[in-house]
Amino acid sequence: MIRRLASACSITLLLSVACNGDDTATSATDSDTTTTTTGGETTTDSDGTSATSGVPATSPTRYFLRIDDELPPDVVLEMDKDKALEIFGEAAAKDLVLIEVDSTQMLVNALTAIQSACGKTWENFNEDPKHNCTLTELGKSFGPDWKKTPEFALVRLLTMTPANAVVTGTSLEKMANTLAQINDPNLKFSKVLADTLGIAQNQPFISIDVLVAALKKTLLVSHPKVDNDEGVLSITLWDAVNDMQPLSDFYGPDGDHPGILYPDSGEPNANNPDQSPFKTKSNALTERFKMRVIAESNLRWVDGIDLGVGGGDMFVTDADSILSFDFLDPDKLVIEGVFGQEKEFCDPEGKNCEENLDYGKEPTIDMRFRIGENAQAIVPCTETPTCFDNYPEGWTDIEGNPLGLGPLGDNTVWHLSPWIMEYLVGYAALLSYGYDPPLEYDKCLVVDETVCDAGIWIGEPSGNENIPPDSYPFDPGPAGWSIFKAFDKSTPAPQYLWELLGEVAEVAIHDTNGDKITDIEPGEANPLFTLFGVGIGLTAEDMIAQIRPKMQEQADEVANVILGKYWKNNKKLDFYYRRPAEGGAPYLYFVAESDLRPSDDDPGVLAEYTYAKPGFFSCREMTDGCKVSATAIDGLADTSHEKYQLPEGESVLYVEDDAGKAYEVGFYVPSGPNPTEIVATIAAL
């Protein structure tokens, strides 16, 4: 017996379009010599004539239409990385998002590695941080002359504390020198800075956590491929099975944006003789990776008639999706071989087990990261009160209220693109001292009776009785607006504190040791870091916990990838015989637009629905008055198909195909409440 696709050929074979029903033995002519199909075997009467499909007989042709109540088997996919690519293909794999990575911890890991690249002695309360970049593999990558490299300059910036800060060459230099001449431990500049900023003397001006928040809001959010405001990065199936290498392209340079990741490079060549080969790579999916997916098929096989050709079969569905997935069920989505997932490794028989020393560890990624600077010097916005409103575009306070008027002044920091180093440093300083809450501080450092000879004022006056009321050298400003005074010495012009810290950072980037000799020329401080083994911030358990709901959100898309063109094997039926979705007695169904059928001209293209008179009629004229089918029938949910329940015994109906040709169809329905096989005799009019 010929078993149709959904029943006989496993749907797994349908994936490769390898299971095609053979319709050459599904019809036969029926005249003085009658050929019928029974159980897939063609028998011919005495004159030896038999019919073939493809060319309709001029005399009536008889077909058996059967109902197969056997449900199609589950679709079971077992994939390693190569098989996943084979099944999904590149385009679909790039569209299937597996996880959304909060970049926070990965950035923390990366910046912590950079901060520690030249040792950790900077954490001591010493003026000399005693950097030594030969202590780590990352530091060694800066080269033998590491003290004059952009990479070390950024390390210096990340490790700058009140204790080791060098303000030589900045607008704070004269105040620092003035306080040093007083020889008062309480006026040591490192202590004054720490007290002003509210941090310990060995604490970086900008913490890693704040710098990460700034990176997310600047470098990451401004990238064209990041479609959210939180710096969340999408990882697709394509990325995962290719060990994350595609991320360097997807999140690499894009238009004016220099990229979140620096592009991979190949072996040295004539154009780039000095380049070092590098490939972005993650160990997230190991060589042991396997994914097993089980889905219920919502396709149902039906037997029917293509009036101009003959008998055939096709797949139809009553569901919104052709496959039903439950990715949340651990038995229907099984993922193995993620780094750090298994406690032990065993052979296929579950024997000879070895402990997994990486169990519980988070997967890592090898990546390259670059920050570029502005070639021209940045000037602070100092005009009072205009510059009180100098903030980044769209800046809000902690409660979400708009603050400022956007970038003001000429050549000030907020006019830069958000991925430029000066903008990033300024933004991080703003988050540190101008956001939650904005810094307000005032202290008279040197008092001569009723005159404050030296002091620092940030924001509105506090009303401190120890500060002479008329001591402000300038009118005070809003929170974060800084005023410095040191006798008659020139001090920084009034400006926001974060812009002042940006100036200190810019000088330190180019003069890495504070000797007033430029180590790195303006425009060349563009550090490039090659980082190996950076934790991605998720364990195997975290990743799998994300993959399940994420794939469930995309279940329909997955179904369409796996069985999306199931209709390519459908015959172009005009009507078919089936049991309704609710069960019960079978009906004749006239095809509806929702029944997908291939075009006669191109089986890879859907046929257009061109029926002028869909439905079943009791008269040759096929007028509305003799229409016996209906789309709406009590007890049946389907309202898109013309349907008719045949009576027992013999009956005659009239139908028209999609070319407008009319046919007479005689039916024979055996007695009984559940006729699963009927006879249809077709004659063209």
Side-chain angles (χ1 to χ4, degrees), residues 602-615:
D602 184 353
V605 176
L606 283 171
E608 295 184 12
Y609 192 82
T610 58
Y611 292 94
K613 291 184 178 181

Side-chain angles (χ1 to χ4, degrees), residues 1 4 26-27 30 36-39 61-68 301-305 311-312 575-579 584-590 616 643-653 665-682:
M1 178 178 183
R4 305 306 195 254
T26 58
S27 64
D30 184 15
T36 62
T37 299
T38 58
T61 309
R62 186 170 63 198
Y63 304 91
F64 288 98
L65 303 184
R66 303 177 182 85
I67 287 178
D68 188 347
W301 169 82
V302 293
D303 210 357
I305 301 295
F575 67 85
Y576 51 84
Y577 187 56
R578 66 162 296 190
R579 203 181 302 280
Y587 282 73
L588 280 180
Y589 277 64
F590 200 93
F616 303 98
K643 298 174 289 294
Y644 178 65
Q645 187 173 14
L646 290 165
E648 289 185 10
E650 295 183 352
S651 59
V652 176
L653 297 175
V665 186
F667 292 96
Y668 173 75
V669 179
S671 60
N674 187 31
T676 58
E677 181 174 291
I678 63 173
V679 179
T681 303
I682 312 297

Side-chain angles (χ1 to χ4, degrees), residues 437-520:
L439 181 63
E440 293 190 290
Y441 177 85
D442 55 5
K443 186 170 184 177
C444 187
L445 301 173
V446 180
V447 180
D448 182 8
E449 295 181 356
T450 60
V451 177
C452 184
D453 290 327
I456 300 173
W457 297 265
I458 299 177
E460 298 288 345
S462 66
N464 187 337
E465 60 183 14
N466 295 321
I467 300 178
D470 298 326
S471 62
Y472 273 72
F474 302 96
D475 291 334
W481 188 261
S482 63
I483 299 172
F484 291 77
K485 179 183 179 182
F487 299 96
D488 59 348
K489 302 295 183 182
S490 296
T491 55
Q495 60 190 282
Y496 275 122
L497 177 63
W498 36 91
E499 293 189 63
L500 178 59
L501 292 176
E503 180 214 349
V504 173
E506 186 169 13
V507 172
I509 282 287
H510 297 93
D511 178 8
T512 59
N513 57 9
D515 60 2
K516 290 191 176 182
I517 298 175
T518 299
D519 297 304
I520 302 171

Side-chain angles (χ1 to χ4, degrees), residues 97-100 546-555:
V97 177
L98 294 183
I99 55 176
E100 301 277 8
Q546 273 204 45
I547 289 172
R548 292 187 183 282
K550 201 65 188 175
M551 289 190 68
Q552 194 65 47
E553 291 174 13
Q554 304 164 94

Side-chain angles (χ1 to χ4, degrees), residues 52 99 112 159 196 205 224 226 313 346 379-380 503 565 577 580 643:
T52 60
I99 55 176
T112 300
T159 58
T196 301
F205 288 142
V226 177
D313 51 31
C346 304
V379 299
E503 180 214 349
K565 287 195 173 183
Y577 187 56
K643 298 174 289 294

Side-chain angles (χ1 to χ4, degrees), residues 219-226 233-234 239 244-264 280 365 367-370 419 528:
L219 179 68
L220 270 68
V221 167
S222 62
H223 194 280
K225 296 291 176 34
V226 177
L233 305 179
S234 298
D239 301 321
M244 307 299 181
Q245 187 281 326
L247 294 179
S248 67
D249 297 320
F250 190 77
Y251 291 119
D254 194 323
D256 293 332
H257 197 290
I260 299 170
L261 297 177
Y262 194 74
D264 293 353
T280 301
I365 187 171
M367 56 184 275
R368 292 204 294 190
F369 172 76
R370 185 184 187 187
W419 51 79
L528 171 61

Side-chain angles (χ1 to χ4, degrees), residues 196-529:
T196 301
L197 300 178
I199 61 177
Q201 291 188 48
N202 68 336
Q203 182 178 338
F205 288 142
I206 300 173
S207 70
I208 291 294
D209 288 343
V210 171
L211 190 56
V212 165
L215 273 171
K216 289 165 62 177
K217 290 293 187 181
T218 55
L219 179 68
L220 270 68
V221 167
S222 62
H223 194 280
K225 296 291 176 34
V226 177
D227 59 357
N228 59 84
D229 295 330
E230 302 301 326
V232 173
L233 305 179
S234 298
I235 307 297
T236 67
L237 177 64
W238 176 256
D239 301 321
V241 298
N242 284 289
D243 298 329
M244 307 299 181
Q245 187 281 326
L247 294 179
S248 67
D249 297 320
F250 190 77
Y251 291 119
D254 194 323
D256 293 332
H257 197 290
I260 299 170
L261 297 177
Y262 194 74
D264 293 353
S265 58
E267 297 293 334
N269 54 56
N271 294 326
N272 296 287
D274 298 325
Q275 77 175 354
S276 299
F278 179 82
K279 182 178 181 180
T280 301
K281 187 175 182 180
S282 173
N283 62 0
L285 300 188
T286 70
E287 294 304 314
R288 304 170 68 92
F289 171 76
K290 289 182 180 179
M291 182 164 61
R292 187 171 191 268
V293 179
I294 300 176
E296 289 184 15
S297 173
N298 293 320
L299 295 176
R300 299 296 180 260
W301 169 82
V302 293
D303 210 357
I305 301 295
D306 178 348
L307 291 165
V309 175
D313 51 31
M314 62 187 289
F315 279 122
V316 298
T317 182
D318 300 304
D320 293 332
S321 179
I322 55 180
L323 292 175
S324 291
F325 292 96
D326 186 359
F327 293 114
L328 303 180
D329 186 336
D331 293 327
K332 294 187 176 179
L333 173 59
V334 179
I335 299 175
E336 300 175 352
V338 180
F339 180 84
Q341 179 183 5
E342 294 93 352
K343 290 185 178 181
E344 56 185 12
F345 299 130
C346 304
D347 62 24
E349 297 179 356
K351 300 178 181 179
N352 301 317
C353 299
E354 295 181 3
E355 180 184 3
N356 180 8
L357 299 179
D358 294 319
Y359 173 69
K361 296 180 181 179
E362 64 183 70
T364 62
I365 187 171
D366 301 339
M367 56 184 275
R368 292 204 294 190
F369 172 76
R370 185 184 187 187
I371 293 289
E373 71 157 342
N374 193 53
Q376 297 179 338
I378 302 301
V379 299
C381 190
T382 59
E383 184 179 346
T384 304
T386 300
C387 290
F388 291 172
D389 286 318
N390 182 38
Y391 280 94
E393 191 71 42
W395 183 260
T396 63
D397 63 20
I398 189 65
E399 296 178 349
N401 301 309
L403 195 61
L405 298 176
L408 299 175
D410 296 327
N411 299 319
T412 55
V413 65
W414 307 130
H415 287 289
L416 298 175
S417 298
W419 51 79
I420 299 296
M421 185 188 300
E422 290 88 341
Y423 188 103
L424 169 60
V425 172
Y427 197 97
L430 173 55
L431 285 177
S432 295
Y433 303 109
Y435 187 60
D436 186 21
L439 181 63
E440 293 190 290
Y441 177 85
D442 55 5
K443 186 170 184 177
C444 187
L445 301 173
V446 180
V447 180
D448 182 8
E449 295 181 356
T450 60
V451 177
C452 184
D453 290 327
I456 300 173
W457 297 265
I458 299 177
E460 298 288 345
S462 66
N464 187 337
E465 60 183 14
N466 295 321
I467 300 178
D470 298 326
S471 62
Y472 273 72
F474 302 96
D475 291 334
W481 188 261
S482 63
I483 299 172
F484 291 77
K485 179 183 179 182
F487 299 96
D488 59 348
K489 302 295 183 182
S490 296
T491 55
Q495 60 190 282
Y496 275 122
L497 177 63
W498 36 91
E499 293 189 63
L500 178 59
L501 292 176
E503 180 214 349
V504 173
E506 186 169 13
V507 172
I509 282 287
H510 297 93
D511 178 8
T512 59
N513 57 9
D515 60 2
K516 290 191 176 182
I517 298 175
T518 299
D519 297 304
I520 302 171
E521 294 296 327
E524 295 183 4
N526 305 303
L528 171 61
F529 296 95

